[in-house]
Amino acid sequence: MEDPIITPGTSIETHKVLFMMADYGHDPTETAVPYTTFKNAGYEIQFATENGKPPRCDKKMLEGITQKLLGAKKEVVSKYKKMALSEEMRHPLSWSAPGFSLDPFDLVVFPGGHEKGVRQIIESPIVHQLVVEYFPQTRKPGRKVVGAICHGVQVLAASKDQHGRSVIRDCVTTSLPAKFEQAAYWGTRAVMGDYYKTYGHGSESTEQAITKVLGNPAQFKSNLNPGPFVAEDEQYNYISARYPGDAELFAEEIIKLFESFNRIM
């Protein structure tokens, strides 16, 4: 039987995607927009939280005056509500369960969010070990992929091998630029306190937390243009983004990466 002819830009398999999340606090745009894009592409999606509790995104970004001024756009709120009713989000896996592994998944996504609840996943030794075991499989020409937005990149930065080296030590990456974080924090501090500082007033910026684990600070791409931007590494199948405004491009570039695996060179 002859091998199938693969048309460039098409896929012949259903990719398995896992969203790794804290119980509460992730940004709804950084979660619902990629989820919807991958769902429309026909990907098989699952979620995982520490004990299999359905995750909930940051309420402030979904409701009230904070949503209208600072949060998710109306169409994203609709996408989030649909996602929240899905079987996969209502019945997530447990990333702390004995025998749990990231290996069955083609793509592992780490959404961001500055709400303090996301520290649950950023600081988890269990998650760190899972990432240490999985991330090397993304080295090209492998076909495993990792995607992370904003504070999601901090999970990777904190995931270190036995020698204390982060899994992204040799990668090009982006995340929330310090100037973006400072603008949001100081612009809202009078009414929202340290809401925009995940680790509280006076803590290091997300950019600092990530840059310090890289082999070279120049590997951090701090693009201050508010238009959509992502960073794609050349050695690993790893794509990162800065903030909610990048979420759609982030998902699209991941799909393009999967499509590239099946192109005839």
Side-chain angles (χ1 to χ4, degrees), residues 10-163:
T10 63
S11 174
I12 60 171
E13 58 184 323
T14 299
H15 300 295
K16 295 183 178 180
V17 181
L18 181 69
F19 280 77
M20 287 283 286
M21 301 183 70
D23 291 348
Y24 178 76
H26 287 285
D27 184 89
T29 303
E30 295 171 5
T31 309
V33 170
Y35 167 86
T36 303
T37 304
F38 297 146
K39 194 77 170 176
N40 290 342
Y43 292 5
E44 180 183 319
I45 302 174
Q46 289 185 281
F47 290 83
T49 57
E50 185 168 9
N51 296 304
K53 180 180 178 181
R56 293 182 300 119
C57 286
D58 187 352
K59 188 176 180 180
K60 284 187 172 67
M61 298 292 99
L62 289 164
E63 300 176 4
I65 190 66
T66 49
Q67 178 269 317
K68 289 180 170 54
L69 295 178
L70 305 167
K73 296 178 181 178
K74 185 177 180 181
E75 60 268 27
V76 173
V77 174
S78 296
K79 289 178 180 179
Y80 175 80
K81 289 180 178 178
K82 185 175 181 179
M83 177 182 71
L85 292 174
S86 69
E87 284 297 307
E88 50 266 30
M89 195 166 184
R90 290 172 56 221
H91 303 287
L93 303 173
S94 166
W95 45 251
S96 67
F100 179 83
S101 172
L102 301 178
D103 287 352
F105 300 94
D106 304 302
L107 166 63
V108 180
V109 180
F110 294 89
H114 47 261
E115 211 282 334
K116 292 174 179 55
V118 300
R119 290 164 59 171
Q120 178 186 22
I121 189 168
I122 292 173
E123 299 172 358
S124 170
I126 295 173
V127 172
H128 297 166
Q129 185 59 36
L130 290 169
V131 173
V132 166
E133 293 170 358
Y134 184 85
F135 198 87
Q137 299 179 61
T138 69
R139 189 175 181 88
K140 299 177 187 292
R143 296 191 173 195
K144 299 287 191 182
V145 179
V146 166
I149 309 184
C150 196
H151 288 66
V153 180
Q154 278 194 262
V155 181
L156 306 180
S159 298
K160 299 176 180 179
D161 65 18
Q162 60 182 336
H163 303 293

